[in-house]
Amino acid sequence: MSTNMISRRRTLQLLGGAGAGLASLSMPAIAQGAGAGRVVVVGGGFGGATAAKYIKRANPKIQVTLVEPLQRYYTCPFTNLHFGGLRTFEQQGHNFNELRALGVQVVHALANDVDNKKKTVTLAGGRVLQYDKLVLSPGIDIRWGALKGYDQAAAQFAPHAWQAGPQTALLKQQLDAMPDGGTFILVAPENPFRCPPGPYERVSMIGHYFKTQKPKSKILVLDAKENFSKQGLFLDGWKKVYGEMIEWVPLSKDGKVVRVDARAREVETEFGKKHKAAVLNVVPPQKAGFIADRAGVSAQSGWVPIKPETFESSQVADIHVIGDATAATPMPKSGFVANAQGKVAAAAIVAALAGRPAPKASWANTCYSLIAPDYGISVANVYNIADGKLNEIKGSGGVSPREATPEFRKLEADYGVAWYNAIANDAWGTKA
Amino acid sequence: MTSRLKTLGLFSAAALLLASGGAHAQALSAADAAVLAGPCANCHGTDGKSNGKIPPLAGRPAATLAAMMKAFKGETPPPGTTIMNRLSKGYTDEQIEALAKHFAEKK
């Protein structure tokens, strides 16, 4: 891009900013005509990319700015298949070309601060963006130190790999370097956390890697919970495909890890038992991305309470929060849900800027997990609002049948990949 | 004046209920249907235009789409299907009709 172009854009933004203070006092959208207004979206993942796209598609006159530090965004979903040797890391990467082509201004910077009274977002480097409506889709931050011994330095020895990127590469590298016969330990957290079936799919895929490359190796899951997502299906699948390779230790069997020594790759449980790993993967306690704190939308829990109808923050007006950062029980923190919430928020914002009430909200979720290349399982749900709260519609949804044919498991494995390709196309325009 | 407005308000609310066949069947606007259809795109593609193994929805006759969704709800869902049996049960027949119309109109 030419500097000319940039400076022209800057001037336009400055002009917009100058007028904004006045306009936002009264009726910002209507003042600019045709239900337009300025929307800033923070975060280019499943939620943010979808929200930006669906706002722009619904009303191209709305000025939409997407703020995302990465030029190429990598999803955490499907990186487990990378550990299984079934996909390259690059296959989880997505660019923002489709959003740009739609007319979304994509700014590759970190959003550092939000002033919810002046309605501004400050980027690293000092640039200030004015908004009429703000969408935060910041994903998760790790609660460093919440698990004793697990801080940022520790993650360089015992990766979490719960945000795709260098952490994914580090865990892959450690698995590749591990000698046959080693023990892989995964430390699983209490609820709520990003991607409830994720830890269990991860050990399945690492099981596949071990079975085919390092068959004398073992897998131990130390869990702070008594139950987990799709539990029966995972336990059945592990036994069937991996025999005795994968051992899961629940809370009641002293599965809760209370201390991590990342350099020694050793963990200690509640009752003082020490386990040593050849490769140690800690899925640590989490919270909403830090920008939620800066915007004043997060609660004591670390997550963001929202109004179900619109996913607007229940604490601050004109800030909508979507995805893993939200406290949206009974919805899981999944990419599918982030996308679905993004569409509900987008529709509500487009309607509000045009002075109309929000359309009736509805959401669904489907999470596929892979136990082996030809062995997929799923959980699906439909949600509405009942008595003012998010509600899982009774009689709908559920997990794959416990008894199913190998053909059914194979179909679900195939549909899982088809889902990923479809949602990546829906959110980022990625062509498989 | 106020009471006249109130009367009119009550009257039109009652008329709406009658027109839509009672409290259980609230009329769905096109905007409502678009939001209802939002999650379908996650597997069936944006606007129901599939880019892969999962069948497309866009531009197929509304009657066909509605009949399929209703068939998914049954005890013996069509062969080769996996999650639609579970998902379809989350939608009323009226919502299914609205979804079918929404996707039939996408070309």
Side-chain angles (χ1 to χ4, degrees):
Chain A
M1 190 187 294
S2 72
T3 43
N4 224 356
M5 185 68 180
I6 291 172
S7 81
R8 201 182 139 223
R9 209 179 255 183
R10 280 240 172 94
T11 313
L12 281 171
Q13 273 157 4
L14 282 173
L15 281 173
L22 288 173
S24 56
L25 283 176
S26 52
M27 300 177 77
I30 293 157
Q32 290 158 42
R38 292 152 305 175
V39 178
V40 175
V41 180
V42 173
F46 286 101
T50 301
K53 175 170 170 175
Y54 275 74
I55 291 169
K56 200 67 184 172
R57 268 166 54 97
N59 185 354
K61 286 183 181 139
I62 296 174
Q63 183 192 311
V64 182
T65 307
L66 177 72
V67 181
E68 163 57 49
L70 300 170
Q71 307 258 349
R72 192 167 165 79
Y73 182 91
Y74 293 88
T75 69
C76 212
F78 272 53
T79 55
N80 284 336
L81 279 65
H82 175 53
F83 297 126
L86 306 180
R87 287 170 76 93
T88 65
F89 182 62
E90 275 309 313
Q91 282 179 284
Q92 283 67 245
H94 308 282
N95 65 41
F96 298 93
N97 293 343
E98 188 196 55
L99 287 174
R100 278 194 197 88
L102 279 170
V104 173
Q105 289 187 37
V106 182
V107 180
H108 291 299
L110 181 74
N112 254 343
D113 209 356
V114 173
D115 185 326
N116 63 31
K117 293 197 176 65
K118 287 185 186 155
K119 293 186 157 186
T120 55
V121 180
T122 304
L123 310 184
R127 188 171 160 194
V128 176
L129 303 173
Q130 188 84 39
Y131 67 83
D132 298 315
K133 300 281 181 187
L134 175 62
V135 179
L136 298 180
S137 187
I140 56 154
D141 273 1
I142 306 296
R143 291 174 57 193
W144 299 114
L147 172 57
K148 200 174 170 190
Y150 199 70
D151 55 15
Q152 272 164 296
Q156 297 310 310
F157 298 92
H160 55 79
W162 221 241
Q163 290 159 318
Q167 279 281 304
T168 316
L170 181 61
L171 180 56
K172 182 73 166 70
Q173 189 191 318
Q174 291 187 353
L175 287 166
D176 288 346
M178 192 191 92
D180 189 10
T183 298
F184 170 78
I185 296 181
L186 184 142
V187 176
E190 287 170 37
N191 292 322
F193 63 98
R194 159 180 279 183
C195 192
Y200 314 97
E201 182 188 58
R202 179 166 292 177
V203 295
S204 305
M205 285 291 91
I206 291 172
H208 174 70
Y209 169 65
F210 285 169
K211 188 179 173 182
T212 50
Q213 307 287 325
K214 293 168 182 173
K216 285 182 275 180
S217 309
K218 287 277 177 203
I219 296 176
L220 184 64
V221 185
L222 297 171
D223 209 324
K225 298 180 295 302
E226 204 52 30
N227 297 293
F228 63 89
S229 173
K230 303 178 226 175
Q231 183 170 338
L233 291 168
F234 272 115
L235 294 177
D236 289 353
W238 290 343
K239 195 154 193 83
K240 198 164 188 174
V241 181
Y242 303 111
E244 301 300 311
M245 184 195 279
I246 303 174
E247 186 190 350
W248 173 68
V249 186
L251 174 70
S252 60
K253 300 264 172 65
D254 198 21
K256 186 180 178 179
V257 167
V258 294
R259 195 182 59 83
V260 176
D261 183 343
R263 281 175 177 80
R265 296 202 174 94
E266 194 178 80
V267 295
E268 190 181 329
T269 60
E270 211 171 6
F271 296 104
K273 190 164 183 195
K274 289 179 178 169
H275 299 269
K276 198 167 170 60
V279 174
L280 176 60
N281 179 196
V282 177
V283 182
Q286 301 151 26
K287 58 189 272 300
F290 77 97
I291 197 73
D293 299 335
R294 303 284 166 87
V297 295
S298 55
Q300 201 79 45
S301 65
W303 306 104
V304 178
I306 42 79
K307 297 177 188 170
E309 297 80 4
T310 57
F311 271 67
E312 185 178 23
S313 157
S314 46
Q315 298 177 186
V316 181
D318 297 322
I319 302 182
H320 296 249
V321 187
I322 53 176
D324 295 349
T326 59
T329 310
M331 295 180 187
K333 298 184 187 302
S334 73
F336 193 117
V337 156
N339 169 291
Q341 292 171 351
K343 287 169 185 166
V344 165
I349 287 169
V350 170
L353 289 174
R356 292 193 305 264
K360 202 174 163 65
S362 174
W363 307 262
N365 179 57
T366 298
C367 287
Y368 288 99
S369 300
L370 210 51
I371 288 176
D374 287 344
Y375 195 129
I377 56 174
S378 66
V379 60
N381 280 104
V382 185
Y383 307 92
N384 64 2
I385 298 171
D387 301 324
K389 287 186 187 145
L390 292 173
N391 170 57
E392 208 167 82
I393 295 173
K394 218 179 154 193
S396 77
V399 298
S400 313
R402 194 88 183 250
E403 304 299 327
T405 61
E407 290 72 28
F408 190 96
R409 303 291 190 220
K410 167 80 168 76
L411 263 179
E412 292 224 289
D414 293 348
Y415 283 142
V417 176
W419 161 75
Y420 186 83
N421 292 339
I423 197 170
N425 187 255
D426 191 41
W428 298 279
T430 305
K431 292 187 172 52
Chain B
M1 184 66 185
T2 321
S3 85
R4 201 180 143 224
L5 274 178
K6 268 205 186 132
T7 314
L8 275 172
L10 281 173
F11 178 77
S12 48
L16 262 178
L17 278 177
L18 283 174
S20 61
H24 288 290
Q26 291 170 329
L28 284 162
S29 69
D32 291 338
V35 171
L36 197 64
C40 306
N42 296 23
C43 297
H44 293 278
T46 307
D47 292 331
K49 293 170 187 165
S50 177
N51 65 345
K53 186 184 168 80
I54 299 166
L57 305 174
R60 297 172 74 179
T64 309
L65 291 172
M68 284 178 83
M69 270 294 269
K70 288 172 189 170
F72 284 134
K73 283 191 184 188
E75 286 308 307
T76 48
T81 64
T82 52
I83 60 160
M84 283 312 297
N85 172 247
R86 289 169 264 159
L87 286 170
S88 59
K89 289 174 183 165
Y91 300 92
T92 63
D93 283 356
E94 196 194 13
Q95 286 175 321
I96 286 172
E97 302 291 344
L99 285 170
K101 183 170 177 287
H102 172 86
F103 285 112
E105 286 167 1
K106 300 283 176 194
K107 300 292 171 196

